[in-house]
Amino acid sequence: MKLYDGGRAPNPRRARIFLAEKGIDVPLVPIDMGAMGHRSAEVTERNPIQRLPVLELDDGTVITESVAICRYFEELYPEPALFGRGALGKALVEMWQRRVELHLLACVAAAFRHIHPAMIEWEVPQIPEWGEANKPKALAFLDILDKHLENNAFIAGGDYSIADITGLVAIDFFKPARIQMPDHVTHVKRWHEAVSSRPSAKA
Amino acid sequence: MKLYDGGRAPNPRRARIFLAEKGIDVPLVPIDMGAMGHRSAEVTERNPIQRLPVLELDDGTVITESVAICRYFEELYPEPALFGRGALGKALVEMWQRRVELHLLACVAAAFRHIHPAMIEWEVPQIPEWGEANKPKALAFLDILDKHLENNAFIAGGDYSIADITGLVAIDFFKPARIQMPDHVTHVKRWHEAVSSRPSAKA
């Protein structure tokens, strides 16, 4: 199998961190998204939605969407469990993974895509007003997350999970999205230091 | 347990259709979203993100996010499987569920929230230009889906799944979002008739 990878963008990084946490080595096919490689024929014939990452199995079957790729490996290699354990545990990981994705990562991505000059060919039409509107949305969710992390080591509770991976790539994207991390979210900062210090964060 | 329900909005309906497909009966607590009931103290203390549906278990544990609620019931009552079977089957359901959610339902919802006059208190700031930009995005995905459904009975392949539920609520929301269903997507129309004729569609 091989993983068509998109470098520093949040979703490709999400899949790489997940694989590093699982200790799974998948050959990468680097795609230069800066040169619009995600819209090349090579990627488009595998993923008509033209997004990365894309996992291609040996029989040619394609799995796209970073979380779907992660779930494939979770099912094949259940340990360490990164999607939770038991009905309630799995539901709470899904809940937090979705909260962080929809109310943090999506907002940070929208701020980046709709404001950053480098994104003018990617996001058509670029609507800076929508990009700006997403910054306070991201910060409002950060306050909810901060309160939650006061009593939880990790985003979905006591154990590291895919929700932490989504949170990490979202917060590390504040800088290109030009969102300033507020000083008062001390629990988010403690958590961010902890997840950033894991070897997988370098993936 | 009880399910705080939001009536005709797509996400509450997603959970109700899922439960109907599973044959599970959960007492509903109706919340009037038209009267901003999702921002009441009753909902906010259970879900600080102020979205519906919200599942409350008998011990007070809260699960939010419609897909997380569905996954909870999938784990408790695996049949009929609505999140797929086996590593590849589960990954492909996740892939299609996410594709339909991110590239169809999210676009339809954005068109509705950013253009419809009734949404002016919900979506602050309302940015009609962003709402309009989402209509061609939804239609572009519909073409991809149409091509896929030419060779597949259901969205994730041969079996009905949560991806079909997300697709159904998205397409039924075209009307309030004032998006015209194009004539040429004949496979989407055949699929839409099939999923609409299931008893669960009335949930």
Side-chain angles (χ1 to χ4, degrees):
Chain A
M1 66 174 70
K2 52 193 172 180
L3 184 66
Y4 290 81
D5 180 46
R8 291 186 306 169
N11 281 315
R13 188 173 173 227
R14 217 157 35 147
R16 292 197 309 277
I17 294 175
F18 187 93
L19 290 169
E21 286 283 340
K22 287 277 190 189
I24 300 168
D25 200 23
V26 177
L28 299 182
V29 181
I31 301 291
D32 183 355
M33 292 175 80
M36 302 298 265
H38 54 296
R39 298 198 185 161
S40 64
E42 186 184 17
V43 171
T44 305
E45 68 189 17
R46 291 171 173 83
N47 183 10
I49 299 173
Q50 301 181 313
R51 301 284 180 114
L52 293 168
V54 170
L55 180 70
E56 188 173 82
L57 307 184
D58 290 341
D59 69 357
T61 302
V62 162
I63 305 172
T64 73
E65 292 294 330
S66 57
V67 175
I69 292 169
C70 294
R71 190 172 295 279
Y72 178 68
F73 288 110
E74 178 87 353
E75 291 293 325
L76 289 180
Y77 308 101
E79 297 296 332
L82 297 177
F83 280 91
R85 296 177 193 277
L88 181 59
K90 288 179 183 181
L92 293 178
V93 168
E94 180 99 35
M95 174 180 93
W96 279 105
Q97 140 63 26
R98 288 177 61 86
R99 283 179 162 180
V100 174
E101 177 163 330
L102 300 174
H103 301 288
L104 190 66
L105 179 56
C107 297
V108 178
F112 179 70
R113 294 176 71 104
H114 285 276
I115 297 170
H116 200 290
M119 289 294 103
I120 196 148
E121 277 183 73
W122 290 48
E123 189 64 48
V124 181
Q126 222 182 17
I127 302 171
E129 188 187 359
W130 173 238
E132 290 296 341
N134 272 276
K135 293 181 179 180
K137 289 180 201 283
L139 294 175
F141 179 79
L142 214 56
D143 283 339
I144 290 170
L145 186 61
D146 193 61
K147 196 169 173 191
H148 173 70
L149 286 171
E150 186 175 351
N151 301 307
N152 292 280
F154 295 106
I155 290 181
D159 295 316
Y160 183 92
S161 77
I162 189 168
D164 296 295
I165 298 175
T166 301
L168 175 61
V169 302
I171 286 185
D172 287 349
F173 222 63
F174 272 34
K175 198 174 172 184
R178 296 172 192 172
I179 299 174
Q180 182 77 36
M181 182 75 139
D183 286 333
H184 69 271
V185 291
T186 53
H187 307 292
V188 169
K189 287 181 180 178
R190 179 263 306 155
W191 161 86
H192 183 253
E193 276 180 32
V195 294
S196 297
S197 70
R198 298 167 78 97
S200 63
K202 295 186 184 68
Chain B
M1 68 174 69
K2 52 192 172 181
L3 184 66
Y4 290 82
D5 181 44
R8 292 186 305 168
N11 282 314
R13 187 173 175 226
R14 220 160 27 152
R16 290 197 311 275
I17 295 174
F18 187 93
L19 290 168
E21 287 283 340
K22 287 278 188 186
I24 301 169
D25 200 24
V26 177
L28 299 183
V29 181
I31 301 291
D32 183 355
M33 292 176 79
M36 303 296 266
H38 53 296
R39 298 197 185 161
S40 65
E42 186 184 17
V43 171
T44 305
E45 67 190 19
R46 290 170 174 83
N47 184 8
I49 298 171
Q50 302 181 312
R51 301 285 181 112
L52 292 168
V54 169
L55 181 70
E56 188 174 81
L57 307 184
D58 291 340
D59 69 357
T61 302
V62 162
I63 305 172
T64 73
E65 292 293 331
S66 57
V67 176
I69 292 169
C70 294
R71 190 172 296 279
Y72 178 69
F73 289 109
E74 178 87 354
E75 292 292 326
L76 290 179
Y77 308 101
E79 296 298 332
L82 297 178
F83 280 91
R85 294 177 195 277
L88 181 60
K90 289 180 183 182
L92 293 178
V93 168
E94 179 101 37
M95 174 180 93
W96 278 105
Q97 141 60 28
R98 288 177 61 85
R99 281 178 164 181
V100 175
E101 177 164 331
L102 301 174
H103 301 288
L104 190 65
L105 178 55
C107 297
V108 178
F112 180 69
R113 295 176 69 103
H114 285 276
I115 297 170
H116 201 290
M119 288 293 103
I120 196 148
E121 278 183 72
W122 291 48
E123 189 64 48
V124 181
Q126 222 181 18
I127 302 170
E129 188 186 359
W130 173 238
E132 290 297 341
N134 272 276
K135 293 181 180 179
K137 289 180 201 284
L139 295 174
F141 180 78
L142 213 56
D143 283 338
I144 290 171
L145 186 61
D146 193 62
K147 197 169 172 189
H148 173 69
L149 286 170
E150 186 175 351
N151 301 308
N152 292 279
F154 296 106
I155 291 181
D159 295 317
Y160 182 91
S161 76
I162 189 166
D164 296 295
I165 299 175
T166 301
L168 175 60
V169 302
I171 285 183
D172 287 349
F173 222 63
F174 272 34
K175 198 174 173 185
R178 295 170 192 173
I179 300 174
Q180 182 76 37
M181 182 76 137
D183 286 333
H184 69 272
V185 292
T186 53
H187 307 292
V188 169
K189 288 180 181 178
R190 180 263 307 155
W191 160 85
H192 183 253
E193 277 179 32
V195 293
S196 298
S197 70
R198 298 168 78 97
S200 64
K202 295 186 183 68

